[in-house]
Amino acid sequence: PHAKFCLPARSGSSAELKPANPILLVHGGAGRRPMTVAQASGLRDALRVGYHLLDRGGSALTAVEQAIRVLEQSGLFNAGAGSRLQLDGVRRMDASIMEGDSLRAGAVASVEGIAHPIVAARLVMETTDHVMLVGPLATKFARYFKLERHPLRTIRRRLSYDVMLTRKSLAGERHGTVGAVARDRSGTVAAGASTGGIDRMLPGRVGDTPLIGCGVYADNQSGAVAMTGIGEGIIRMAVAKEICDRLAQGAFPAAAARQVLKNLVTRIQGAAGTLVLASDGRFSILHVTPRMSAGWWDGKGEPTVGDRFQ
């Protein structure tokens, strides 16, 4: 696998209680296609928006949400304005967000016609006692809070279910997600993700993105993880939680991610990439796909963005 691994600067005495160094990582999906110039610019924009919030004392949760909003708005990724159509010609989106202090989480699945599913996911977390809302009633929930809408880009198709079942096996390259993980000055971590799914998916299909422990996980006692790739495999191995569990046992981010992704490939021929941020600030960007559009910024120099991490 390709990896980016970074150690934080050496800290002072253990008796000193210094503010944590904030950091933000984002991704725009994993697969075979090279990242475009426009996508690289979009990732940098997301890093700048999210990190500036962290730098001013904002929460990791808000930095993750706002960075993902930038990526949803861009239309350059398979999320928000750039979401793919399902086989019946309808665009349905999923998103989730989680913070690592109290393990609060929120998610939406199969929502339609809203610009920022990540905002709806946070509202589920903060205004209800639930973790996930799905389908038309999740869309109704978002509209109740007057979330920004976008024009429905639909090409409704009258396909028999037999035809859809045949075509769903022809899924193409576009199976990306956008996601982010962050640590704020208080040391709290957060993770989030948003997606339009995969090409030619059956209506009602839900991938790993809105499933806590599969597509995202965050826990101050271990770290934060955001996944991308083929969701079915990620779900079957509960990858995000598995990586966090290894972090909690003392593994470095690169080692934790590498072993879990190796298992994903060898056991079920899965394909994925991941952002992994340990609670102490160490991090890894790693993928078993040829490329993964991603980047990170700790406020020093310029944001680092690329599509191959070694």
Side-chain angles (χ1 to χ4, degrees), residues 93-236:
M93 300 165 288
D94 308 330
S96 67
I97 195 165
M98 183 173 187
E99 63 90 16
D101 182 19
S102 61
L103 304 184
R104 295 183 302 155
V108 292
S110 293
V111 295
E112 301 176 32
I114 63 171
H116 298 294
I118 192 66
V119 179
R122 184 168 179 177
L123 281 168
V124 171
M125 181 184 76
E126 294 187 332
T127 68
T128 79
D129 295 325
H130 312 313
V131 171
M132 182 187 294
L133 297 178
V134 303
L137 293 179
T139 302
K140 183 176 182 179
F141 170 85
R143 290 176 177 169
Y144 173 82
F145 284 97
K146 297 181 172 56
L147 296 192
E148 180 183 349
R149 300 191 190 190
H150 63 60
L152 287 175
R153 182 172 64 92
T154 60
I155 309 171
R156 293 195 178 268
R157 306 178 182 121
R158 294 177 178 272
L159 297 178
S160 71
Y161 220 77
D162 285 344
V163 171
M164 286 195 287
L165 285 172
T166 300
R167 292 190 181 183
K168 61 94 178 175
S169 64
L170 303 176
E173 161 70 9
R174 298 176 181 175
H175 50 73
T177 303
V178 303
V181 296
R183 184 177 74 147
D184 60 32
R185 292 195 181 280
S186 75
T188 290
V189 297
S194 180
T195 189
I198 59 175
D199 275 356
R200 302 188 180 118
M201 56 188 170
L202 284 173
R205 180 262 185 189
V206 174
D208 66 291
T209 296
L211 302 183
I212 304 302
C214 297
V216 302
Y217 201 75
D219 184 346
N220 283 3
Q221 296 183 12
S222 55
V225 173
M227 300 300 303
T228 180
I230 302 296
E232 281 70 15
I234 295 169
I235 293 169
R236 288 160 66 188

Side-chain angles (χ1 to χ4, degrees), residues 80-92:
S83 296
R84 312 304 177 209
L85 302 181
Q86 296 190 352
L87 279 170
D88 60 354
V90 177
R91 177 166 48 185
R92 300 180 180 92

Side-chain angles (χ1 to χ4, degrees), residues 231-243:
E232 281 70 15
I234 295 169
I235 293 169
R236 288 160 66 188
M237 297 190 69
V239 172
K241 182 62 162 60
E242 177 67 19
I243 293 174

